[in-house]
Each structure stands twice: as structure tokens, then as C-alpha cells.
Amino acid sequence: MQSSYKVLAFALVAASSFTSVHVLEFCQSTDSDCHSHDSTASDNQLSPHTVKSRWNISVSNLLKDLDQFRVSCKKLIEAFPIDEVDGNFARSVKNCIFSRSIPTPLKGRLRLAAASKDVIEGILDLDVAVTQSDDFLHYASGGRRLSGSVPLAHRYGGHQFGYWAGQLGDGRAHSLGQYTNRRGEVWELQLKGSGKTPYSRSGDGRAVIRSSVREFLCSEAMHFLGIPTSRAASIIVSDEPVKRDQFYNGNVKTERGAVVLRLAKSWFRIGSLEILAQSREINLLRKLVDFVIDEYFFSISQDDPDKYLVFYSTVVNETAHLIARWMSVGFAHGVCNTDNFSLLSITIDYGPFGFMESYNPNFVPNTSDDEGRYSIGAQANVGLFNLEKLLLALSPVLSTNQQKEAKIILKGYGDIYQMRIHQLFKAKLGLLGEEEDDGYLIAFLLKMMEDTQSDFTMTFRQLSEVSARQLHNRNFTQMWALEDLSSHKLFSDWLSIYLLRLNRVDLKVPLLRQQNDSDLDRQHRMKNINPRYVLRNWMAESAIRKAEVNDFSEVELLHHILSFPFVTQETAEEAGYAARPPLWAKRLKVSCSS
Ligand code: AMP
Ligand code: MG
């Protein structure tokens, strides 16, 4: 009795210390039509066979000639006034959403460092063989203009690290136009690292190889984890020297320029609206919100007098869901400024992100973030901060009553997030149905993980792979994360509760009470939600080091492996991607410099 009391007291402490962040639950999206987050982790459980057949089906119809590939900028250009000034010099821009801006071609020899077949063929309807052509190198790095393209740089602002930063904008990105694919989906193509624009401020308009490889790999990995995200089609690297002081310590190094061709249904951000509200361009603000609703929030009617409120409510809901999904895979974005938060609630602008290894709510991936503002455990609250800023930006188009209602909607954010995270973590533990103590069970586990510094990804994965019998016998041979976790003095207490909850084992008679296939079902469910491979910093770093000397083999390997994160793969095992991270991984740092 006494020991169960102790466990209870401990778990309450654990649960309360998680506040809004760790234990979360689910609420159905109120608007499933709206910019549907089309993939789920289980959708992505494609066997290599499925992928092959999907690609095979379309191969014959794929475009082989890039000169025939057409994008359109008509919608974006006709919907809004365009910056009247021309030229890529830094300036303050008013009364427009976009500036025309010609990309600056990369200098020196160009090389294809990576291409995503899934994007090139599945979204762009191009035969992946075109990526091997010289044409592709130029089209995908800004040296040649796609048919129909009028390259644009977007004007936006943002709150950075809690403070209004004024005009930011696409300082090194160019929107090339929209492509409507054979499935009728409209994607906006963008180059990142393609040279200066009116929004470059003191920047050089470039991106280096390391940050480009990280964005490419991570955005694709997130997609295959089932998390709403921008996509990446390719990376082109050059010999153009780009100077970077990576850790802001005066140690300037010459790196090389690279360009990522990336795609999203839309690149509009919270900061896209903020800049218009801040500069009192209210007609343009209304125009942009109307455009966004019309183009991306299909279930909202333009005639609805509450359309801006419904729009806000949808973004609140979807943002809560997105951040819960991040937390469920241990993803820390690193720079959750309002200019990096999409209005479509997809993950955008990959910079100093990180996947948490040892479980630690204070994990901060960005070494430049001294105060830990964007620690993994703070992301839910930062989402709230950003949604407050979105509400401020929308206020000029909301009536006084609607503003009051919007505040009430925002108050519901915490509950949506909690419900969603609770649901996700329950699924990570294979729990079906709902029992009173489920939150306690989850919080208890996370607290033990924190105390034992257990690896976030592999603890859940190994719990998915272990049988109930092995669990009961504490047979964790070769299960390094579970070995770490089981060193906790309360592990046996937690295990008893967990096994009882799974209803698999009668503790008095340690035999399986139910058929093996039930336990297999649990394992199967859990393996489809708990990845075996995520993009750990050390994995990216190793691939980057090789890419910097023009060996792109590891980028390709990682890209392939992370396209099947839930499937155990021999090459990944050989590379140690599911093993205990190497010691040198602990010394790795990433910063905002990119
Ligand atoms: P980020 O931290 O990448 O989200 O960028 C924040 C802002 O800085 C955006 O307006 C970027 O376009 C701009 N920016 C970042 N790096 C550069 C660069 N090398 N040249 C010009 N603008 C940049
Ligand atoms: Mg950004």
C-alpha cells in the first residue's frame, strides 16, 4: 500500500511538471476539408513494393522535357499589387505582397546533390531522369527560368524571439510560381538560397550546403513521418564561396552555396498578415486573408460573415495539432518565430531543428537560443504566443464581438493541444480505449525517461518491438533504450501498471492470457506510429561532411531510409541509425547560421 502511495505521489509530481507540454490528447479537426493534412503515419507505411508500383503506374506519363514544364504566377500576381520598385537592393517595401525579383545564378560548377523521386514524380509529374540533365541543374538553382515563371519575393514581417522585428520577407528565396499537377493539386515552387531580393537586409541571399542538406532531408523525413510539412525536390550545390560565422564566435569560414527547390501548397505565414496590420494596410490585409481562405480553406464560404473568425479558429486548431505531432516524434523546430509559422499549419523553414535524443523537456536544438525560448518543452506555449500575434494581425478585419469570440477560441487552444497529445502518446503506448489513469501512465513513463535520460525515439520503438512476455520478464537483450529505462527504481511499478493496462498478462500466472496475435496487433499498431529512424544530428552531420566534398552517397542513403521510418532496414541497421548515438554526437551543435 505504502509503495503504491509513493508511486502515486511521484506520478503527480511528474504529471504536474509536464503542464501543457508532455501529455496530450486528441480532438478531431473541426474542418477536415480544409487544406487537408493528407498523410498519416500509417498512410506512409508503404512497402517498397507499394512505392514501386505507385511510381511504375505513372512512369509512362511523366514529363521528360523540362522545357515543357509550366508554372503559373498569374494568380499571385493578379490578386495583389506588386512592388513598384525593381531591383534586388535592400529596401523597405510598402503596399504589396510580392516584389518581382530575379534569382542570381550560382557561380561555378553545379552538381545535383539530391533529388526526391517522390516529389519529382509524385508531385511534379516529371520523370526523375530529368534531374540528371544540365537543364535541371540550371532550372533548379535559379540560372534558367521555367516556362511561365515570374520569380517573386514575398514581403512579410514577424515576431522574432518574442519581439516585433519589422520587415523580414524572402531574403534568399524566390517563388517560381504555382504548378497544378495531374491530381489537380496546386503547389508553389520556391528556390531557397537563390540570391538577394529586396528583403535581404544585410544578408548575401545564399544558403550553404549544410543547411540545405538539413532542410532537404528533414522536410522529406517529416513527410514520411506523416507530419504536415513543406516538401523538397532537390539540392543543387555549387563552388560559389559563401562566408559564414557558424557559431557567431568570429571564426568565419568559407563554405559553398547551394539551392534547395522546395514546395508547399502555400508559403504564407503569420508574419505575412502581421506586416500588413502593423503598417495599417488594412485593405491589403483583407485581400490577403480573403485570398488565403479562397485558395486553401475550401470549407469556409466567402459569404460567411464570420469567415475570418472561422479561419482563425481553424488555424488555432491545426497549429495545436501540428505542434502535438512534432512532440510525438521529439521534433524541436528551433526557431518558432511568427515568420516561420505557416498559415496552413505545416512545418516550414527548417533551420537549427533537432530530434530530441535523451528525453529532456529542456532540449534546445539551436545553440544560438541562449535562453531556451524554443526548447522542445516550450513549443506548445510558443504556439499560443504566435496565435496571439495572429489574432492581433486579424483584429483590424474583425468586429469587436468577433475579437471577443476569437479570444475565447484561443483559450481553447490548450485543451485541443492536451487532448491531441494525450491521444498521440496513448497510441505510442499501444493503448486502446480510454481509462482514467492513462495520463498518469504516460506521465510516469516520461518522468522515468527524463530521470534515466532514455532515448525518446528508441524507447517507444523498443516498447513497440518487445513482446508482452519479454516485457514481463524484463528481457531487454539488445534493447539499449529499454535497458536504460529499466534502470529506474520505479520501472517495475510502471511496468506492472502498463502490462495490466494492456490486459495481456496475468501477473500471478505469468502467461499470456490472450492469444499471441493480440500482442502482435499491439506491436504492429505501435510500430506504425513509433519510428525506428529519425534524422538525428549526427546522421545529418556525417552526410553533410561527405556532401561538402561532393560525395552525396550518404545524403541519398539517409533520404531513402527516412522515407520508410517505420520499417526496419538492413542498410540502416548496418549504418547504426537505430543504435546508441556515437559519443561524438554529444558535441554537435547547430546554430541559426545557414
Ligand atoms: P530564417 O531564420 O531562415 O527563417 O530567416 C529569417 C529572415 O532572415 C528571413 O527574412 C530570411 O529571408 C532572412 N535571411 C536569412 N538568411 C539570409 C541570407 N543569407 N541572406 C538574406 N536574407 C537572409
Ligand atoms: Mg524563415
Side-chain angles (χ1 to χ4, degrees), residues 351-412:
F353 63 82
F355 283 87
M356 173 171 64
E357 299 195 343
S358 298
Y359 182 81
N360 172 14
N362 298 318
F363 167 61
V364 180
N366 174 9
T367 47
S368 326
D369 181 3
D370 304 325
E371 292 173 7
R373 178 181 170 85
Y374 297 138
S375 70
I376 193 162
Q379 292 186 127
N381 289 335
V382 166
L384 180 66
F385 176 92
N386 290 350
L387 290 166
E388 272 165 14
K389 298 302 171 200
L390 174 61
L391 174 51
L392 271 182
L394 285 172
S395 290
V397 297
L398 296 173
S399 67
T400 314
N401 240 344
Q402 286 172 330
Q403 288 179 35
K404 277 189 202 145
E405 285 187 51
K407 281 183 190 145
I408 296 169
I409 288 167
L410 186 58
K411 282 205 178 116

Coordinates of all heavy atoms in Angstrom, one line a residue, residues 351-412:
G351 N 15.6 25.1 -40.0 CA 16.9 25.7 -39.7 C 17.6 24.9 -38.6 O 17.9 23.7 -38.9
P352 N 17.8 25.4 -37.4 CA 18.5 24.6 -36.4 C 17.6 23.7 -35.6 O 17.5 23.8 -34.4 CB 19.1 25.7 -35.5 CG 18.2 26.9 -35.7 CD 17.6 26.8 -37.0
F353 N 16.8 22.9 -36.3 CA 15.9 22.0 -35.7 C 16.7 20.8 -35.1 O 17.9 20.7 -35.3 CB 15.0 21.4 -36.8 CG 15.7 20.6 -37.8 CD1 16.0 19.3 -37.6 CD2 16.1 21.2 -39.0 CE1 16.7 18.6 -38.6 CE2 16.8 20.5 -40.0 CZ 17.1 19.2 -39.8
G354 N 16.0 20.0 -34.3 CA 16.7 18.8 -33.8 C 15.6 17.8 -33.4 O 14.5 18.2 -33.0
F355 N 16.0 16.5 -33.5 CA 15.2 15.5 -32.9 C 15.8 15.2 -31.5 O 17.0 14.9 -31.4 CB 15.1 14.2 -33.8 CG 14.2 14.4 -34.9 CD1 14.7 14.9 -36.1 CD2 12.9 14.0 -34.9 CE1 13.9 15.1 -37.2 CE2 12.1 14.1 -36.0 CZ 12.5 14.6 -37.1
M356 N 15.0 15.3 -30.5 CA 15.5 15.0 -29.1 C 15.9 13.6 -29.0 O 15.3 12.7 -29.5 CB 14.3 15.3 -28.2 CG 14.6 14.9 -26.8 SD 13.2 15.5 -25.7 CE 11.8 14.5 -26.3
E357 N 17.1 13.4 -28.4 CA 17.6 12.0 -28.2 C 17.3 11.6 -26.8 O 16.2 11.1 -26.5 CB 19.1 12.0 -28.6 CG 19.2 12.3 -30.1 CD 20.6 12.0 -30.7 OE1 21.5 11.7 -30.0 OE2 20.6 11.9 -32.0
S358 N 18.2 11.9 -25.8 CA 17.8 11.7 -24.4 C 16.6 12.5 -24.1 O 16.6 13.7 -24.4 CB 19.0 12.1 -23.5 OG 20.1 11.4 -23.8
Y359 N 15.6 11.9 -23.4 CA 14.4 12.6 -23.2 C 14.7 13.8 -22.2 O 15.2 13.6 -21.1 CB 13.3 11.7 -22.6 CG 12.1 12.5 -22.3 CD1 11.2 12.7 -23.3 CD2 11.8 13.0 -21.0 CE1 10.0 13.4 -23.1 CE2 10.6 13.8 -20.8 CZ 9.8 14.0 -21.9 OH 8.6 14.7 -21.7
N360 N 14.4 15.0 -22.7 CA 14.7 16.2 -21.9 C 13.8 17.3 -22.3 O 14.0 17.9 -23.4 CB 16.1 16.6 -22.0 CG 16.5 17.9 -21.4 OD1 15.7 18.4 -20.6 ND2 17.6 18.5 -21.8
P361 N 12.8 17.7 -21.5 CA 11.8 18.8 -21.9 C 12.6 20.1 -22.2 O 12.0 21.0 -22.9 CB 10.9 18.9 -20.7 CG 11.1 17.6 -20.0 CD 12.4 17.1 -20.2
N362 N 13.8 20.2 -21.7 CA 14.5 21.5 -21.9 C 15.4 21.4 -23.1 O 16.3 22.3 -23.3 CB 15.4 21.8 -20.6 CG 14.4 22.0 -19.4 OD1 13.4 22.7 -19.6 ND2 14.8 21.5 -18.3
F363 N 15.3 20.4 -23.9 CA 16.1 20.2 -25.1 C 16.0 21.5 -26.0 O 14.9 21.8 -26.4 CB 15.8 18.9 -25.8 CG 16.4 18.8 -27.2 CD1 17.7 18.8 -27.4 CD2 15.5 18.7 -28.3 CE1 18.3 18.7 -28.6 CE2 16.1 18.6 -29.6 CZ 17.4 18.6 -29.7
V364 N 17.1 22.1 -26.3 CA 17.2 23.3 -27.2 C 18.1 22.9 -28.3 O 19.3 22.8 -28.1 CB 17.7 24.5 -26.4 CG1 17.7 25.7 -27.3 CG2 16.9 24.8 -25.2
P365 N 17.6 22.8 -29.5 CA 18.4 22.4 -30.6 C 19.4 23.5 -31.1 O 20.4 23.2 -31.7 CB 17.4 22.0 -31.7 CG 16.2 22.8 -31.4 CD 16.2 23.0 -30.0
N366 N 19.0 24.7 -30.9 CA 19.7 25.8 -31.5 C 20.6 26.5 -30.5 O 20.2 27.1 -29.5 CB 18.6 26.9 -32.0 CG 19.2 28.2 -32.5 OD1 20.4 28.3 -32.7 ND2 18.3 29.1 -32.7
T367 N 21.9 26.3 -30.7 CA 22.9 26.8 -29.7 C 22.9 28.4 -29.6 O 23.3 28.9 -28.6 CB 24.3 26.4 -30.0 OG1 24.6 26.6 -31.4 CG2 24.6 24.9 -29.7
S368 N 22.3 29.0 -30.6 CA 22.2 30.5 -30.5 C 21.0 30.9 -29.6 O 20.9 32.1 -29.3 CB 22.0 31.1 -31.9 OG 22.6 30.4 -32.9
D369 N 20.2 30.0 -29.2 CA 19.0 30.3 -28.4 C 19.4 30.1 -26.9 O 19.0 29.2 -26.3 CB 17.9 29.3 -28.8 CG 16.6 29.5 -28.0 OD1 16.5 30.5 -27.2 OD2 15.6 28.7 -28.2
D370 N 20.1 31.2 -26.5 CA 20.7 31.1 -25.1 C 19.7 30.9 -24.0 O 19.9 30.2 -23.0 CB 21.4 32.5 -24.8 CG 22.5 32.8 -25.8 OD1 23.1 31.8 -26.3 OD2 22.6 34.0 -26.2
E371 N 18.5 31.5 -24.2 CA 17.5 31.5 -23.1 C 16.6 30.2 -23.2 O 15.7 30.1 -22.4 CB 16.7 32.7 -23.1 CG 17.5 33.9 -22.7 CD 16.8 35.2 -22.8 OE1 15.6 35.2 -23.1 OE2 17.4 36.3 -22.7
G372 N 16.8 29.5 -24.2 CA 16.0 28.3 -24.4 C 14.5 28.6 -24.7 O 13.6 27.9 -24.4
R373 N 14.3 29.8 -25.4 CA 12.9 30.2 -25.7 C 12.2 29.1 -26.5 O 11.1 28.8 -26.3 CB 13.0 31.5 -26.4 CG 11.6 32.0 -26.8 CD 11.6 33.3 -27.6 NE 10.3 33.5 -28.2 CZ 9.3 34.1 -27.5 NH1 9.5 34.5 -26.3 NH2 8.1 34.3 -28.1
Y374 N 13.0 28.5 -27.4 CA 12.3 27.5 -28.3 C 12.8 26.1 -27.9 O 13.0 25.2 -28.8 CB 12.6 27.8 -29.7 CG 12.0 29.2 -30.1 CD1 12.8 30.1 -30.9 CD2 10.8 29.5 -29.7 CE1 12.2 31.3 -31.3 CE2 10.2 30.8 -30.1 CZ 10.9 31.6 -30.9 OH 10.4 32.8 -31.2
S375 N 12.9 25.8 -26.6 CA 13.1 24.4 -26.2 C 11.9 23.6 -26.6 O 10.8 24.1 -26.8 CB 13.3 24.4 -24.6 OG 12.0 24.6 -24.0
I376 N 12.2 22.3 -26.7 CA 11.1 21.4 -27.1 C 9.9 21.5 -26.2 O 8.7 21.5 -26.7 CB 11.6 19.9 -27.3 CG1 10.6 19.1 -28.0 CG2 11.9 19.3 -25.9 CD1 11.1 17.8 -28.6
G377 N 10.1 21.6 -24.9 CA 9.0 21.7 -24.0 C 8.3 23.0 -24.0 O 7.2 23.1 -23.4
A378 N 8.8 24.0 -24.7 CA 8.2 25.3 -24.7 C 7.3 25.5 -26.0 O 6.6 26.5 -26.1 CB 9.2 26.4 -24.7
Q379 N 7.4 24.5 -26.9 CA 6.8 24.8 -28.2 C 5.3 25.0 -28.2 O 4.7 25.8 -28.9 CB 7.1 23.6 -29.2 CG 8.6 23.6 -29.5 CD 9.0 22.5 -30.6 OE1 9.6 22.8 -31.6 NE2 8.6 21.3 -30.4
A380 N 4.6 24.3 -27.3 CA 3.2 24.4 -27.2 C 2.8 25.8 -26.8 O 1.9 26.5 -27.3 CB 2.6 23.4 -26.2
N381 N 3.6 26.3 -25.8 CA 3.3 27.7 -25.3 C 3.7 28.7 -26.4 O 3.0 29.8 -26.5 CB 4.0 28.0 -24.0 CG 3.4 27.2 -22.9 OD1 2.2 26.8 -23.0 ND2 4.1 26.8 -21.9
V382 N 4.7 28.5 -27.1 CA 5.2 29.4 -28.2 C 4.1 29.4 -29.2 O 3.8 30.5 -29.8 CB 6.5 28.9 -28.7 CG1 6.8 29.7 -30.0 CG2 7.6 29.2 -27.7
G383 N 3.5 28.3 -29.5 CA 2.4 28.2 -30.5 C 1.3 29.2 -30.0 O 0.7 29.9 -30.8
L384 N 1.0 29.2 -28.7 CA 0.0 30.1 -28.2 C 0.4 31.5 -28.4 O -0.4 32.4 -28.9 CB -0.2 29.8 -26.7 CG -1.2 30.6 -25.9 CD1 -2.6 30.3 -26.4 CD2 -1.1 30.3 -24.4
F385 N 1.6 31.8 -28.1 CA 2.1 33.2 -28.3 C 1.9 33.6 -29.8 O 1.4 34.7 -30.1 CB 3.6 33.2 -27.9 CG 4.3 34.6 -28.2 CD1 4.4 35.6 -27.2 CD2 4.9 34.8 -29.5 CE1 5.0 36.8 -27.5 CE2 5.5 36.1 -29.7 CZ 5.6 37.0 -28.7
N386 N 2.3 32.7 -30.7 CA 2.2 33.0 -32.1 C 0.8 33.2 -32.6 O 0.5 34.1 -33.4 CB 2.9 32.0 -33.0 CG 4.4 32.0 -32.8 OD1 4.9 32.9 -32.2 ND2 5.1 31.0 -33.3
L387 N -0.1 32.4 -32.0 CA -1.6 32.6 -32.3 C -2.1 33.9 -31.8 O -3.0 34.5 -32.4 CB -2.3 31.3 -31.9 CG -2.0 30.0 -32.6 CD1 -2.5 28.8 -31.9 CD2 -2.6 30.1 -34.1
E388 N -1.6 34.3 -30.6 CA -2.0 35.6 -30.1 C -1.6 36.7 -31.1 O -2.3 37.7 -31.4 CB -1.3 35.9 -28.8 CG -2.0 35.4 -27.6 CD -1.1 35.4 -26.3 OE1 0.0 36.0 -26.4 OE2 -1.5 34.7 -25.4
K389 N -0.4 36.6 -31.7 CA 0.0 37.6 -32.6 C -0.8 37.5 -33.9 O -1.1 38.5 -34.6 CB 1.5 37.3 -33.0 CG 2.5 37.5 -31.8 CD 2.3 38.9 -31.1 CE 3.1 39.0 -29.8 NZ 2.6 40.1 -29.0
L390 N -1.2 36.3 -34.3 CA -2.1 36.2 -35.4 C -3.4 36.9 -35.2 O -4.0 37.6 -36.1 CB -2.3 34.7 -35.8 CG -3.4 34.4 -36.9 CD1 -2.9 35.0 -38.2 CD2 -3.6 32.9 -37.1
L391 N -3.9 36.7 -34.0 CA -5.2 37.4 -33.6 C -5.0 38.9 -33.7 O -5.9 39.6 -34.2 CB -5.6 36.9 -32.2 CG -6.9 37.6 -31.7 CD1 -8.0 37.6 -32.6 CD2 -7.3 37.0 -30.3
L392 N -3.9 39.4 -33.2 CA -3.6 40.8 -33.3 C -3.6 41.3 -34.8 O -4.2 42.3 -35.1 CB -2.3 41.2 -32.7 CG -2.2 41.5 -31.2 CD1 -0.8 41.8 -30.8 CD2 -3.2 42.6 -30.9
A393 N -3.0 40.5 -35.6 CA -2.9 40.8 -37.0 C -4.3 40.8 -37.7 O -4.6 41.6 -38.6 CB -2.0 39.9 -37.8
L394 N -5.2 39.9 -37.2 CA -6.5 39.8 -37.8 C -7.5 40.8 -37.3 O -8.5 41.1 -37.9 CB -7.1 38.4 -37.6 CG -6.5 37.3 -38.5 CD1 -7.0 35.9 -38.0 CD2 -6.8 37.5 -39.9
S395 N -7.1 41.4 -36.1 CA -8.1 42.2 -35.4 C -8.7 43.4 -36.3 O -9.9 43.6 -36.2 CB -7.5 42.8 -34.2 OG -7.3 41.8 -33.2
P396 N -7.9 44.0 -37.2 CA -8.5 45.1 -38.0 C -9.6 44.6 -38.9 O -10.4 45.4 -39.3 CB -7.3 45.6 -38.8 CG -6.1 45.1 -38.1 CD -6.4 43.9 -37.4
V397 N -9.7 43.3 -39.2 CA -10.8 42.9 -40.0 C -11.9 42.1 -39.2 O -12.8 41.6 -39.8 CB -10.3 42.0 -41.2 CG1 -9.4 42.7 -42.1 CG2 -9.7 40.7 -40.7
L398 N -11.8 42.1 -37.9 CA -12.8 41.5 -37.0 C -13.6 42.6 -36.3 O -13.0 43.6 -35.9 CB -12.1 40.6 -36.0 CG -11.3 39.4 -36.5 CD1 -10.6 38.7 -35.3 CD2 -12.2 38.4 -37.2
S399 N -14.9 42.3 -36.1 CA -15.7 43.3 -35.3 C -15.3 43.1 -33.9 O -14.6 42.1 -33.5 CB -17.2 43.0 -35.5 OG -17.4 41.7 -34.9
T400 N -15.7 44.0 -33.0 CA -15.4 44.0 -31.6 C -15.9 42.6 -31.0 O -15.2 42.0 -30.3 CB -16.1 45.1 -30.9 OG1 -15.8 46.3 -31.6 CG2 -15.5 45.3 -29.5
N401 N -17.1 42.2 -31.4 CA -17.7 41.0 -30.9 C -16.8 39.8 -31.4 O -16.6 38.8 -30.6 CB -19.1 40.8 -31.5 CG -20.0 40.8 -30.3 OD1 -19.6 40.5 -29.2 ND2 -21.3 40.9 -30.6
Q402 N -16.5 39.8 -32.7 CA -15.7 38.7 -33.2 C -14.3 38.6 -32.5 O -13.8 37.5 -32.3 CB -15.5 38.9 -34.7 CG -16.8 38.6 -35.5 CD -16.6 39.0 -37.0 OE1 -15.9 39.9 -37.4 NE2 -17.4 38.2 -37.8
Q403 N -13.8 39.8 -32.2 CA -12.5 39.8 -31.5 C -12.6 39.1 -30.1 O -11.8 38.3 -29.7 CB -12.0 41.2 -31.3 CG -11.5 41.8 -32.6 CD -11.0 43.2 -32.4 OE1 -10.4 43.6 -31.4 NE2 -11.2 44.1 -33.4
K404 N -13.8 39.4 -29.5 CA -14.0 38.7 -28.2 C -14.2 37.2 -28.4 O -13.6 36.4 -27.6 CB -15.3 39.2 -27.6 CG -15.1 40.5 -26.8 CD -16.4 40.9 -26.0 CE -16.5 42.4 -25.8 NZ -17.8 43.0 -25.8
E405 N -14.9 36.8 -29.4 CA -15.0 35.4 -29.7 C -13.7 34.7 -30.0 O -13.4 33.6 -29.6 CB -16.1 35.2 -30.8 CG -17.5 35.4 -30.4 CD -18.5 35.0 -31.4 OE1 -18.4 33.9 -32.0 OE2 -19.3 35.9 -31.7
A406 N -12.9 35.5 -30.8 CA -11.6 34.9 -31.1 C -10.7 34.6 -29.9 O -10.0 33.6 -29.8 CB -10.9 35.9 -32.1
K407 N -10.9 35.5 -28.9 CA -10.1 35.3 -27.7 C -10.6 34.0 -27.0 O -9.8 33.3 -26.4 CB -10.3 36.5 -26.7 CG -9.3 37.7 -27.2 CD -9.4 38.8 -26.2 CE -8.7 40.0 -26.9 NZ -9.2 41.3 -26.6
I408 N -11.9 33.8 -27.0 CA -12.4 32.6 -26.4 C -11.9 31.3 -27.2 O -11.5 30.3 -26.6 CB -14.0 32.6 -26.4 CG1 -14.4 33.8 -25.5 CG2 -14.6 31.3 -25.9 CD1 -15.9 34.1 -25.6
I409 N -11.9 31.5 -28.5 CA -11.3 30.4 -29.3 C -9.9 30.1 -28.9 O -9.5 28.9 -28.7 CB -11.4 30.7 -30.8 CG1 -12.9 30.7 -31.3 CG2 -10.5 29.8 -31.7 CD1 -13.1 31.3 -32.6
L410 N -9.1 31.2 -28.7 CA -7.7 31.0 -28.4 C -7.6 30.3 -27.0 O -6.7 29.5 -26.8 CB -7.0 32.3 -28.4 CG -5.5 32.3 -28.2 CD1 -4.8 31.4 -29.2 CD2 -4.9 33.7 -28.2
K411 N -8.5 30.6 -26.1 CA -8.5 29.9 -24.8 C -8.6 28.4 -24.9 O -8.2 27.7 -24.1 CB -9.6 30.5 -23.9 CG -9.2 31.8 -23.3 CD -10.0 32.1 -22.0 CE -9.6 33.4 -21.4 NZ -10.7 34.4 -21.4
G412 N -9.3 28.0 -26.0 CA -9.5 26.5 -26.2 C -8.2 25.8 -26.7 O -8.2 24.6 -26.8

